Amino acid sequence: MKQVKPSFIGAKTLCALALMGAFSAQAQAQTSSVTIYGRIVAGVDFQTNAGANGQGSKWSAADNQWGTSMIGFKGTEDLGGGTNAFFLIESGFNSSKGRVNGTDTSNSALFNRRSYVGLSSATAGSIKLGKNLFINNDVWFLDPTGQQAIGTTTLVNGRNWPGASNIIEYNSPDMGGFTVNLQTSLGEKPGSFNGGNDNSAVGGNSDGRKDGISLAYQKNGLELRAIYDVIRDANGNYNDLWKHSKELILGGTYKIDKLKMFVGYENLRAPNANPGAPDRANHYWLGANYDVTSQLQLVGAWFHVNANNAAVDATGKGNGGGTANLYMAGINYFLSKRTLLYVDVGTVRNGTGAGHVLENGSDNGVSGLKQTGGYFGIAHSF
């Protein structure tokens, strides 16, 4: 799931309430505020070899390829003594069709990206309860595309951008450049702490409990990150490399003047996968962003994946193993701080067994699929 780019999201305050009261022997100021924010992205998309059999070109409306269209509300309340209460509710939607996006538990959830409440302290960190993006979405910080449809998700079939319901999450304060984030997503299956419920009937998934930790260090233009997480199936096992598996992500970025460089590595393991199915994969990438001017940014990236146990059946359908390379280039042109034009192109080249499609992270089963395409449009934040 794509995350909001902090440098590109504005916010418009709807109301601000001020309450003054006395607590014990000392007067404390108590303030609260609610903010509405969002983004709308729309454009045109083109892909070659886009049919189910890997044939035929397709023109279509583009909406969430560059980034997710969304609307959200967030609020804070000063409780005094450096402690704040906060909430956030956020819904992603398809701008070209006007409908909400699906989520991990249902295809019709209203607040399908985030809906949580919590407490925070500058010295102790914060705790969140509710729904959020899963912790491995921190790969956004390592993705030179900013988690576009052509990006870090493509060659791992969306494994590194899921949502997470029923979460308990802790975010540490900044400790000299170091931060620690912890998250668990409860499966809610009776009689099984690690299992989960099958939500396929309502457009959701069959995930069990999810757990993860994200470590970061940021200082003087350098950012280093390590993310480890697990997504179990409904029975508490790791049975699918691209859906229910163990994941390790390592990477970093470094900014020198107008140039920002990216490097990343991702390892996936599914020890309970069916015999003959891929159960290990290594994913690598390099990329860069270059600010030609304050308005014009260039984006470029290369991604490579290698999954074991590649095979093709008698009908020519691949099992998802094998190698693939993805090449991407893009341009962002900022008309203002809140509005930009984007153009992005890419091509994916699969080896035997692999059929990763160019956009949004999935495998269509066409062994050796070669697909080229791109999208252009407008993104406006408020």
Side-chain angles (χ1 to χ4, degrees):
M1 284 181 134
K2 302 149 193 126
Q3 292 190 338
V4 176
K5 296 187 176 185
S7 61
F8 185 58
I9 289 298
K12 182 178 180 181
T13 302
L14 292 181
C15 61
L17 304 175
L19 301 175
M20 301 298 293
F23 294 87
S24 303
Q26 193 176 29
Q28 298 286 344
Q30 195 174 70
T31 61
S32 63
S33 65
V34 176
T35 299
I36 183 173
Y37 66 92
R39 178 172 67 194
I40 300 179
V41 185
V44 177
D45 181 272
F46 173 76
Q47 298 176 50
T48 65
N49 302 326
N53 59 356
Q55 297 179 357
S57 297
K58 181 180 72 172
W59 287 91
S60 59
D63 41 71
N64 290 331
Q65 282 87 340
W66 182 88
T68 303
S69 295
M70 68 186 74
I71 185 168
F73 302 83
K74 59 184 178 180
T76 61
E77 180 186 14
D78 184 354
L79 301 177
T83 301
N84 293 284
F86 62 87
F87 79 90
L88 187 149
I89 51 178
E90 183 179 283
S91 181
F93 61 91
N94 179 315
S95 62
S96 63
K97 303 293 191 296
R99 63 190 181 206
V100 296
N101 298 334
T103 183
D104 57 317
T105 56
S106 168
N107 60 6
S108 60
L110 177 58
F111 298 110
N112 48 42
R113 286 173 58 85
R114 298 177 171 97
S115 57
Y116 57 72
V117 65
L119 297 172
S120 67
S121 163
T123 57
S126 66
I127 185 83
K128 299 173 184 174
L129 303 172
K131 175 176 177 53
N132 201 355
L133 302 181
F134 189 44
I135 199 166
N136 62 352
N137 279 266
D138 278 357
V139 74
W140 181 89
F141 295 99
L142 303 174
D143 188 337
T145 78
Q147 272 193 313
Q148 292 188 36
I150 304 174
T152 51
T153 189
T154 300
L155 300 184
V156 292
N157 299 345
R159 173 59 176 81
N160 56 20
W161 69 356
S165 298
N166 318 312
I167 64 124
I168 304 169
E169 181 175 334
Y170 170 73
N171 308 115
S172 78
D174 188 309
M175 300 171 288
F178 288 96
T179 55
V180 179
N181 297 338
L182 301 169
Q183 186 188 71
T184 187
S185 169
L186 302 177
E188 298 189 319
K189 183 176 184 178
S192 175
F193 183 63
N194 289 330
N197 298 306
D198 186 350
N199 298 299
S200 58
V202 291
N205 57 37
S206 56
D207 292 349
R209 201 178 91 238
K210 307 173 187 175
D211 303 298
I213 180 171
S214 179
L215 309 174
Y217 175 77
Q218 301 176 68
K219 206 160 196 176
N220 299 325
L222 174 67
E223 180 171 350
L224 301 174
R225 288 191 175 266
I227 307 164
Y228 180 76
D229 68 86
V230 298
I231 300 179
R232 301 170 179 86
D233 66 11
N235 295 315
N237 297 319
Y238 306 102
N239 69 342
D240 188 318
L241 187 65
W242 311 115
K243 294 180 180 179
H244 304 120
S245 55
K246 301 178 181 182
E247 178 183 52
L248 173 67
I249 299 174
L250 302 172
T253 67
Y254 188 62
K255 185 171 177 59
I256 307 173
D257 193 25
K258 298 180 179 181
L259 176 66
K260 186 173 184 180
M261 298 172 288
F262 299 75
V263 61
Y265 167 73
E266 180 177 8
N267 174 265
L268 296 173
R269 293 179 295 125
N272 307 122
N274 292 330
D279 61 9
R280 289 180 180 271
N282 291 301
H283 182 209
Y284 313 86
W285 65 90
L286 296 170
N289 295 169
Y290 184 74
D291 298 324
V292 180
T293 68
S294 60
Q295 290 181 284
L296 178 62
Q297 182 185 63
L298 304 180
V299 179
W302 164 78
F303 305 85
H304 174 78
V305 72
N306 186 355
N308 69 344
N309 294 338
V312 181
D313 65 18
T315 67
K317 183 176 181 179
N319 70 344
T323 64
N325 287 287
L326 172 68
Y327 306 90
M328 181 272 187
I331 298 173
N332 295 322
Y333 187 77
F334 292 82
L335 300 176
S336 69
K337 291 183 178 180
R338 297 189 293 121
T339 304
L340 68 75
L341 306 177
Y342 62 86
V343 179
D344 298 282
V345 296
T347 185
V348 62
R349 294 291 186 262
N350 288 280
T352 300
H356 304 285
V357 299
L358 180 64
E359 297 179 11
N360 293 319
S362 65
D363 190 310
N364 70 356
V366 179
S367 175
L369 175 71
K370 294 176 174 58
Q371 191 176 45
T372 299
Y375 37 84
F376 62 88
I378 304 170
H380 175 76
S381 295
F382 57 89

